Amino acid sequence: MRLFIRVCQQPEFGMYSGLHRAPMVGSSGERGRRAVKRSLDRKTRIALEPRKQPRQQRSSKVVDRILDAALILTREQGTRTPTTLAIAQRAALSVGSVYQYFPNKEAILLDLARRWLSSFPEVIRKRINVPRPTNRDEFRREVRKLFADTSRLYLENATLMPVIEAISGNADLRPIQDEYDKEIVALYAAWLRHVNPALEDKIASRLGVLMMEVGHVCRLVGLKRERRTYDLIEDDVETMWLALVSPHLNLE
């Protein structure tokens, strides 16, 4: 998702919009985005992995409580990064309990980003596991279902996008996103070959890259606008996708 990321980092695009209580575009939003990136850069190396890996169901539930609390706070606070104390209080845990699993708040944000990225393969895989569409109308409906699922992931996690941008622009963090990008591209390619089993692997992979990159950058731009504009951009991306892949699918 990095090929077009520079577009979204141009000054004219500002900060992410007020979707799901995120703040509106403005200079304070831009400062907030830069602050998140600086904070992540300073503590990147120790934040790459949680301090304690949950090995039991109880520990996993504690980690989920921490991450859920952090996500709620990021949505409520927008560009302001929640403190570890605030996260602990929202999760009804002691600060010491949080530090058992995460060395700092940056590590919590990175784990939230990982969780967000890991959601996409599942929704794409759903489209592969349904009967193969036999005509363009059926395929268009499948695309619409995919867009509904993936759009929800962006809208509900709009305040995480500065963290995603920080991962994209940081050499130490980039492997986190690279791993998921490769899986997403492979799944898009597999979906296209599911629709047209005769489609060559190289073509399917090339189209998969474009589907991922164009979809991601356009949604980043859309999140910086009001909801109506975001929806229009979604429609435009769908139109672009269909124009891109339809000639390769042999659908009537």
Side-chain angles (χ1 to χ4, degrees):
M1 297 180 180
R2 299 189 312 277
L3 294 180
F4 298 96
I5 201 72
R6 296 188 189 88
V7 176
C8 298
Q9 293 173 332
Q10 296 304 311
E12 64 266 28
F13 287 123
M15 181 52 190
Y16 300 91
S17 73
L19 300 167
H20 288 259
R21 293 178 289 184
M24 294 301 290
V25 176
S27 59
S28 61
E30 179 64 22
R31 288 195 299 271
R33 181 179 67 82
R34 291 197 298 266
V36 169
K37 288 190 174 185
R38 286 196 302 269
S39 183
L40 283 169
D41 288 341
R42 286 196 304 268
K43 300 183 179 180
T44 290
R45 295 190 181 280
I46 60 173
L48 283 175
E49 293 296 337
R51 176 175 292 174
K52 176 181 176 182
Q53 295 292 339
R55 299 181 183 277
Q56 300 178 354
Q57 184 177 9
R58 180 179 178 182
S59 296
S60 296
K61 288 182 178 179
V62 172
V63 170
D64 286 342
R65 283 168 61 184
I66 295 169
L67 293 176
D68 289 342
L71 182 57
I72 291 171
L73 287 172
T74 60
R75 291 173 180 172
E76 290 178 351
Q77 298 181 11
T79 58
R80 290 191 296 116
T81 305
T83 65
T84 306
L85 176 60
I87 293 170
Q89 291 175 338
R90 180 59 65 96
L93 296 168
S94 68
V95 175
S97 295
V98 174
Y99 282 132
Q100 286 182 3
Y101 297 95
F102 297 96
N104 49 52
K105 64 185 180 182
E106 287 75 21
I108 297 174
L109 291 174
L110 287 175
D111 235 30
L112 280 176
R114 284 189 181 99
R115 190 163 74 166
W116 182 78
L117 289 166
S118 68
S119 301
F120 286 88
E122 179 182 350
V123 298
I124 301 170
R125 203 171 283 115
K126 284 168 58 178
R127 306 276 60 83
I128 301 174
N129 293 331
V130 300
R132 184 171 72 90
T134 58
N135 57 61
R136 293 191 180 190
D137 287 339
E138 290 179 359
F139 179 68
R140 187 177 293 108
R141 285 193 289 270
E142 288 300 302
V143 171
R144 174 46 49 189
K145 291 175 184 177
L146 177 70
F147 266 60
D149 289 340
T150 53
S151 178
R152 189 179 307 114
L153 292 176
Y154 277 90
L155 289 171
E156 292 180 353
N157 296 278
T159 49
L160 280 182
M161 293 307 107
V163 183
I164 302 300
E165 281 193 292
I167 290 175
S168 298
N170 186 300
D172 292 320
L173 295 174
R174 196 174 300 134
I176 295 173
Q177 186 162 332
D178 286 344
E179 176 185 353
Y180 290 106
D181 283 359
K182 290 177 182 177
E183 184 178 6
I184 290 169
V185 169
L187 284 169
Y188 276 141
W191 181 33
L192 296 177
R193 290 194 300 270
H194 170 65
V195 178
N196 178 13
L199 185 63
E200 294 181 17
D201 289 348
K202 288 184 178 181
I203 295 176
S205 295
R206 187 187 77 238
L207 295 175
V209 170
L210 290 172
M211 291 165 70
M212 180 189 70
E213 299 287 2
V214 171
H216 181 61
V217 72
C218 289
R219 280 166 168 152
L220 289 183
V221 172
L223 287 176
K224 298 163 191 174
R225 303 292 187 262
E226 70 281 359
R227 178 58 189 270
R228 173 59 180 162
T229 301
Y230 177 89
D231 290 339
L232 291 172
I233 290 174
E234 281 276 281
D235 291 341
D236 292 336
V237 175
E238 180 180 346
T239 300
M240 286 189 287
W241 268 30
L242 291 170
L244 173 70
V245 303
S246 293
H248 300 275
L249 299 182
N250 293 333
L251 295 173
E252 297 295 334

